[in-house]
Amino acid sequence: MIKENIESVRKRIAAAARRAGRIDAVTLVAVTKNHPVEDMKEAAAEISDVGENRVQEALEKQAAFPDNELKWHLIGHLQTNKAKQAVRHFDLIHSVDSLRLLDVVDKEAQRIGKVQDILLEVNIAREESKTGMSVEDFPVICGHAAALKHVCVRGLMCMAPDFENVEDTRPIFRIAKALYDDMKMKFPDGQVRYLSMGMTHDFEIAVEEGANVVRVGTAIFGPRNY
Ligand SMILES: *Cc1c(COP(=O)(O)O)cnc(C)c1O
């Protein structure tokens, strides 16, 4: 089923991109949290990007992919005490949401001679239950990040609230796209390239509004067992 599900998600992404008149590529990150390695192996035949929420779970799973042909995305909240492992084990960290975390990631990356690709997570809908920096803090944090040598800001990540009417996500994604376009001017040419937004229930709207990275779990692997 996983192969068919991926195919179907890809078709829906392509249709949404067409509706928006887009011709650029959209990266599908398969969100594998709480799903077993066997399911990941099945997905890995079709996809090149996987997303995990927890550092520890990702570490355990990476052992099953020794050739590491996958690109690993950290999409869940990152605590500063996990930053050391995160920079060792992830290609792109989507969830950097404070000055303090930026500094810790920079320091840990410097320690191993890496420049860590990151996205800045913005809590556009101001949901108290969600992480992410405020829209007000965003420019300040961009400015701070631009001066760091071991962190490379590649774009913006956001989550829309779980609205009953999925159309209500559209204004949120539209604000994210505007912030993302602004952001490109704050960093060297070509550095800011990823707008990560859209999950199972809202990825088509996110793509219509300009997402070029979508993070999809349930539509590929089915419901998660906690
Ligand atoms: C779990 C998760 C997803 C995937 O959610 P689905 O609804 O299963 O597609 C995407 N992004 C983040 C940040 C998540 O935590």
Side-chain angles (χ1 to χ4, degrees):
M1 274 315 279
I2 289 171
K3 183 171 190 281
E4 287 78 5
N5 290 346
I6 291 172
E7 245 166 60
S8 144
V9 168
R10 281 200 201 287
K11 277 191 189 141
R12 289 166 62 194
I13 290 171
R18 258 196 314 278
R19 285 196 294 279
R22 291 179 51 185
I23 52 163
D24 56 323
V26 177
T27 299
L28 172 59
V29 175
V31 176
T32 49
K33 65 182 179 209
N34 284 75
H35 291 291
V37 162
E38 304 82 76
D39 288 4
M40 291 181 71
K41 295 247 166 176
E42 208 176 324
E46 316 294 325
I47 51 119
S48 52
D49 295 72
V50 293
E52 284 282 340
N53 278 49
R54 295 191 308 115
V55 175
Q56 190 55 39
E57 183 175 344
L59 288 191
E60 287 160 18
K61 287 171 168 176
Q62 282 179 356
F65 297 89
D67 300 336
N68 206 16
E69 63 289 344
L70 290 170
K71 186 170 171 185
W72 293 78
H73 299 250
L74 180 62
I75 62 172
H77 182 59
L78 176 59
Q79 289 168 329
T80 51
N81 64 355
K82 301 277 167 57
K84 178 179 173 174
Q85 284 186 312
V87 301
R88 280 169 173 74
H89 294 279
F90 287 92
D91 299 291
L92 182 63
I93 301 175
H94 291 226
S95 47
V96 176
D97 65 353
S98 70
L99 280 181
R100 178 159 148 64
L101 182 57
L102 257 179
D103 284 338
V104 175
V105 169
D106 183 65
K107 190 184 84 195
E108 294 297 345
Q110 175 173 27
R111 198 169 279 181
I112 60 167
K114 179 182 185 184
V115 176
Q116 177 68 52
D117 279 345
I118 64 153
L119 305 181
L120 296 177
E121 181 185 353
V122 187
N123 186 351
I124 291 168
R126 302 173 191 280
E127 286 183 284
E128 277 180 24
S129 61
K130 297 248 174 80
T131 51
M133 67 189 72
S134 68
V135 172
E136 288 74 23
D137 286 347
F138 176 66
V140 179
I141 293 180
C142 278
H144 185 80
L148 299 176
K149 293 202 165 55
H150 296 272
V151 156
C152 184
V153 176
R154 307 305 310 273
L156 185 150
M157 185 271 239
C158 79
M159 275 193 267
D162 196 7
F163 289 120
E164 207 166 300
N165 178 1
V166 73
E167 267 300 319
D168 292 341
T169 61
R170 196 179 293 280
I172 306 286
F173 292 144
R174 218 165 260 181
I175 293 170
K177 174 65 160 62
L179 292 175
Y180 168 73
D181 287 338
D182 273 356
M183 206 178 170
K184 290 183 179 171
M185 285 172 295
K186 296 182 174 156
F187 294 94
D189 242 11
Q191 179 177 312
V192 170
R193 288 187 43 191
Y194 303 124
L195 178 55
S196 168
M197 57 187 194
M199 316 178 13
T200 290
H201 72 290
D202 57 16
F203 71 85
E204 286 157 301
I205 297 195
V207 169
E208 286 174 13
E209 295 302 329
N212 56 19
V213 178
V214 295
R215 313 175 306 266
V216 178
T218 308
I220 294 174
F221 299 105
R224 287 178 285 274
N225 301 310
Y226 287 101

